[in-house]
Amino acid sequence: MIGKALELIEKGKLRLRVVDQFIWEEEFGKRAAKWREAVKMADYVRLRYIEKKTGRHYEEIQKCRIDTADAKKLTTGIEQKIGAAKIPLGFAGPVKIKGDHAKGEFFVPMATNEAALIAGANRGIKAINESGGITATVIMSGMARAPVLEAKYMKSASRICRLIESKGKLYKELKREAEKDSKVSKLVDIKTYQIGNKIWVRFVFDTGDSMGMNSATKYAANAVRILTEKHNLRLVTLSGNLCTDKKSAHVNVLEGRGKKVQTEVIIKRNIAKKLFKVDVEDIVKLHWIKNYQGSALSGTIAGFNANVANAIAAVFIATGQDAAQIVESASAFTYAELTDKGDLRFGASFPSIEVATIGGGCGFGTARECLEMLGCFGPGKRPGDNAKKLAEIIAAVATAQDLNLLAAQAHEYELADSHIKLARGK
Amino acid sequence: MIGKALELIEKGKLRLRVVDQFIWEEEFGKRAAKWREAVKMADYVRLRYIEKKTGRHYEEIQKCRIDTADAKKLTTGIEQKIGAAKIPLGFAGPVKIKGDHAKGEFFVPMATNEAALIAGANRGIKAINESGGITATVIMSGMARAPVLEAKYMKSASRICRLIESKGKLYKELKREAEKDSKVSKLVDIKTYQIGNKIWVRFVFDTGDSMGMNSATKYAANAVRILTEKHNLRLVTLSGNLCTDKKSAHVNVLEGRGKKVQTEVIIKRNIAKKLFKVDVEDIVKLHWIKNYQGSALSGTIAGFNANVANAIAAVFIATGQDAAQIVESASAFTYAELTDKGDLRFGASFPSIEVATIGGGCGFGTARECLEMLGCFGPGKRPGDNAKKLAEIIAAVATAQDLNLLAAQAHEYELADSHIKLARGK
Amino acid sequence: MIGKALELIEKGKLRLRVVDQFIWEEEFGKRAAKWREAVKMADYVRLRYIEKKTGRHYEEIQKCRIDTADAKKLTTGIEQKIGAAKIPLGFAGPVKIKGDHAKGEFFVPMATNEAALIAGANRGIKAINESGGITATVIMSGMARAPVLEAKYMKSASRICRLIESKGKLYKELKREAEKDSKVSKLVDIKTYQIGNKIWVRFVFDTGDSMGMNSATKYAANAVRILTEKHNLRLVTLSGNLCTDKKSAHVNVLEGRGKKVQTEVIIKRNIAKKLFKVDVEDIVKLHWIKNYQGSALSGTIAGFNANVANAIAAVFIATGQDAAQIVESASAFTYAELTDKGDLRFGASFPSIEVATIGGGCGFGTARECLEMLGCFGPGKRPGDNAKKLAEIIAAVATAQDLNLLAAQAHEYELADSHIKLARGK
Amino acid sequence: MIGKALELIEKGKLRLRVVDQFIWEEEFGKRAAKWREAVKMADYVRLRYIEKKTGRHYEEIQKCRIDTADAKKLTTGIEQKIGAAKIPLGFAGPVKIKGDHAKGEFFVPMATNEAALIAGANRGIKAINESGGITATVIMSGMARAPVLEAKYMKSASRICRLIESKGKLYKELKREAEKDSKVSKLVDIKTYQIGNKIWVRFVFDTGDSMGMNSATKYAANAVRILTEKHNLRLVTLSGNLCTDKKSAHVNVLEGRGKKVQTEVIIKRNIAKKLFKVDVEDIVKLHWIKNYQGSALSGTIAGFNANVANAIAAVFIATGQDAAQIVESASAFTYAELTDKGDLRFGASFPSIEVATIGGGCGFGTARECLEMLGCFGPGKRPGDNAKKLAEIIAAVATAQDLNLLAAQAHEYELADSHIKLARGK
């Protein structure tokens, strides 16, 4: 069968994306019980095809199978699958979190290629744990999608904006239409932004434990029909880049996207001294020069932190999140100051951590197990509980990482030394 | 041995990070040939430890082993490893690239959880291939690290900046010192930025085929000693956030970081019509409203594109890049215009694609094979050739993806429909 | 008296700021009718003092008196006044405006030193008038002040934010307190932004025809007392730079500040050709490359226009506005596109034009007359009418200027030629 | 004559812009000695025209004449002049400056409508003077103009960029051509930025004591001809918004524009306590929260200061600068820290103060006298000396203002109280 399929592909008679279907039909006579097997064979066929084309054998990929199927249909997941990519997986923690949703101690799975990353997180976590844990709270939750619509004239566009912003009849109608196909998602807000006869209508949805980009798109599309059919607007695009997805943008800082999370830990002065060999004053001072003055000079919008991206990327990849959303999820405004008692108040504001515990890459393989490790796989007791828990955990470990990095850089040369040594396995 | 190690860990007598060493000594009597085995057992011990602590069994993680060892030492790679995370791996292409380094047709491995992503890339690639391929070129290559130094007074800081910027004796001395431990890397530029008595000294290195962050840090540290020892400056930190690493920042747009890459493809009007069912004028118009006007409204710095992040993240993860650098690598300024003949000129400027073909996660597992699939594993013939080739390929496939997305959105509702259907496996 | 005052000043026995009071008492025996005279003499005394100190005579300044007094008190206006600065004053127009508040034809006073500026505005106006006039509308009106408050812990800060944002009891109490001393101003919104235990509370007021910065500060201070006295918050500062006053900031783009104004004009294709010697397509194309692509590359936040600052600064100075607010008032997102009929739709979105027709520099001298020339001096029939009218006029003339500049640049070299020739008086 | 001119204007037989010429010919028989008189009459004719059209008399404008003529030609300055606008003029200081060019004590003229502004500057100046004065230095001087050029293909555009950036033959040719018509100006750098087949070529000129925008435009135009005539590029526009003129943009932060100025003052702890009633620690703390954290949240690019715009606008208007350039000239990154001795190190980095002491509005009226007051009217001994001196003075007084504002805000409610009281003349 594999040979036959390969032959057909090479002759151009079988397309790579439908190999699964072909094998299922030809080899397994369309028996539902054989779905998984058909997909597995199809993956192999495609890999063999690439091997022939590139003249190499890919042993590791061949061994690294992933089963993204579910019980309801033959093909799911990505197209032209050939297997799975492997990223080294470790863990940090346990980190003690006093969150609204994440309560207790968590072993945090982190997938990364970067040496010193987990060791760094762990040193930050140690300081946190010895100080009684880190507080974390989701202060806003909502996924945004912003279609662009076009009115005949600027004034008609203004009129529509005013109608929507006033939260009157039109707002309610849009909300009803947006929510009509949804079981869980709720429209939480609509804001409008205008340039001439164009308006960007930014819909925000609470989408429970899913990341929500697909549902927000669909529900926004439903609502938009009201505007195009009854209000003489023309749809330009369902996504006008003011959403803003997979780009670092200030609208997400002010309005939030996904989960807006705050963290806080009070590190005792003597604990910082013991673990980091620095005075807390030095951390505060460096924090301002590096995270704010340096970042201000660099022309950043949401990068007022030392390096939250490392931790956020590592947990995102471990838990099956949408890796392209690392771009805006790795936004943070850290803070560091002395308390009245001379201890260190440390934490960060994360405006847009976009996570899910259902859908996308969450449901299978190692990602599912990593979510289970955190106790937040699948839908929460109340919709959104698990996604918020995950967001709090990610914010906590990113804060730990940033704390450690600042403390480490507060030593002259320590960054260079430690980083390089660890990278080289010394 | 596993039981014994676990017991010691739980009693607090064995630290998780040194389990590898312990097993190698206890079980294998320090035989070099047994390194790999010791690490494998250590991974398992740690996983078992987590399983006990969290009261669950992680079957998939247990099965997903990754060998990050090399021939020279026992422990390499990340700390507290328990296995590997799996991300579904597919491929796009072959895409025809007319690059300076990437020449020919490439099957591009993409690791992602997002349905429709590879299908979308492929549709863009189809248009590219039918139009004769896409041009790509690296116009700048350099990894930056920007330490902060402190002078006694603002005027002394200014004086040092002037000395460095004038490229005279001090510049040469810094260059010599920066390069002294390097076989491959060359200092290509130093720029200074001042606020009062603080200066950010941004060193840029050509680091060949490695991503270069570690070496840039080390070599900058070497050079900085000249400034602290001979010029009465005090080191504040080796990284002052003007580098700028793992944050979206405009300094990387103007100065570049990693590889600055340009792409261009001329899509024939009739090909666009056939494949995308749209007139090229509609793509041009939408491109401006969405990628520029919408992005301008959103308050972005480097996000003037539809969605290059998807492709960039997928190839980064497949090829073992530093996933946190997706943040700034996913920067792009697209362009779309009509040629004199009425065809579509399309492409993008990518200011900071940070990639490696050696070091970090490149050397083992599926990542190595994905690099081999692209013909750019390991060091290039001339240093840097392979990293530049990889950057051109990534830019090409990201351009294809953006072209497709714009074309798709140029249809009303098509995004909503296609995206949702594919995600649901319909 | 003048000699005596000078002598006392030089001996350090009379402070420059109280010379007015001194003369009024000594020379005029505190007669209210002599206020103006006393101030005039005081101005002269101070000028004489400067002349002695700098060894020069300032003839023009001496001749250029300005009477900023009103009927109610001796000293008003600025401190250490010596006279007035003169800026050449011309006018553009009449421009035909179809605004919500500005209806009809307006001669627009412009104070500027820049040759070609008024000529340029006039050429744009000509195209506008021949096309039937320009539509303008204020879509948002509100002056913002954002104090920073500090809670004991991050969680208490979050709690307060939630209370305010939910628009419940606390919001109402803040609103009541904020409005208690106000006759005209109304609180229109409060938004909160948090970093750790700090919150930025952005109060927005409709302040009628005054620019509103002083009243917004005062009313915000009133409201803040509720938070400090009853909610255990500590005031850090009444202005936390998220207002944002006199800086270009994206919060003003999204939320607006002062007046958010939209403009639109449809320029007939043949009119553009006749007046500008260009095809409208060329204006559209240039607009995108320059105003969006170039601006995007430049790292701007609100500068997506060719040059609205010229017109805005000129009318601001002519009409006695706060010149430092040119910084954010000169923000604009232009647009240019072909209509279905092939004509040019042109206009801009101005997010934050901050103007007044009462208070500050509006009430006297040439500024008052310039406001009268526009028919918007003093309070409007309904509070705010005149300020909105002025904002619409400014937006209209800035749009005309941008249109002309784009059209001019659409000719190769025309900018260089015309600009230079005019500047040289050729 | 006035009546006759008015009649012709109303009949449409005489254009407003050529009234000067008309009167000079008709009334004065083209005698050169009568230029000034003719212009004065023309101003009056135009004012009368406006008065008739708007049905009002403008007494103040009529009295406020300004003579912008020079000895070489009839008409200079702005078009459609009717007189001059008056802005209240006061002065701050004397401020003690230890600059490279501004050395000594300076009375600084400030034109403003804002009460409390000069008083505030003076309080900051008092602290500066008592601390021994403020250091100021211009670290970069250059006016930029960035034309856009278009190549046939992206690759040809890249090739040109490389040729220019390598500073070889083409760079030298461009430099020679750019400087050919210039007596004073020197090309100091050319940088290129590419998006596809378009390149932004940013020319930077040292233009001596003139602001330089006109000359930079002209010289860039000269150089550009090399590129269009010999290198097959097409000029898109002489100004591609990457210059960046009259918009707040990060390119000006990194590269500088006009003058990049640094200031520094060490304020003794006890002086701050005495004058400001605050501990220096409180100024430092507030500075970070407001100027950096608040500004970071606000989405600004160059607004990391409390309020430098007030001082900069006031001196700009007093000294006849281009008021629209307040937009980018009012950029600043302040700093505040404790010295080792516990005193306050305070200052700011101003990336783009754009000033002139010759040309534009500098040469006549009150502006000229204000420049004379500062000892920097006209060309410097060496070209540029006076403009640099002026930039240092402006930076110094803006620093004083920012220091005072921070100190004032370090008192709870003080801003609200003092600001409001002063504005009301209490």
Side-chain angles (χ1 to χ4, degrees), chain A residues 29 71 79 105 122 133 145 176 193 218 247 251 283 288 310 314 350 364 404 419:
Chain A
E79 304 83 43
E105 304 205 339
N122 266 344
R145 183 52 101 190
R176 195 168 52 238
Y193 304 90
K218 189 182 162 202
K247 292 156 213 90
V251 67
I283 294 177
W288 287 119
N310 268 346
F350 299 85
F364 47 80
N404 174 67
H419 208 79

Side-chain angles (χ1 to χ4, degrees), chain A residues 100 155 196 198 262 337, chain C residues 100 155 196 198 262 337 345:
Chain A
D100 290 342
K155 288 276 288 187
K198 310 274 186 305
Q262 299 283 338
E337 64 173 18
Chain C
D100 290 341
K155 287 276 288 187
K198 310 272 186 306
Q262 300 283 338
E337 64 172 19
R345 182 195 305 275

Side-chain angles (χ1 to χ4, degrees), chain A residues 301-312:
Chain A
I301 282 299
F304 295 89
N305 58 80
N307 184 350
V308 299
N310 268 346
I312 288 171

Side-chain angles (χ1 to χ4, degrees), chain D residues 162-174:
Chain D
R162 207 161 41 237
L163 286 178
I164 296 173
E165 296 276 352
S166 68
K167 311 246 154 159
K169 198 179 142 217
L170 178 55
Y171 180 91
K172 289 189 183 74
E173 198 180 353
L174 290 171

Side-chain angles (χ1 to χ4, degrees), chain B residues 100 155 194 196 198 262 337, chain D residues 100 155 196 198 262 337:
Chain B
D100 290 342
K155 289 275 289 187
Q194 183 184 355
K198 310 274 186 304
Q262 300 283 338
E337 63 172 19
Chain D
D100 290 341
K155 288 276 289 186
K198 310 274 186 304
Q262 299 283 337
E337 65 172 17

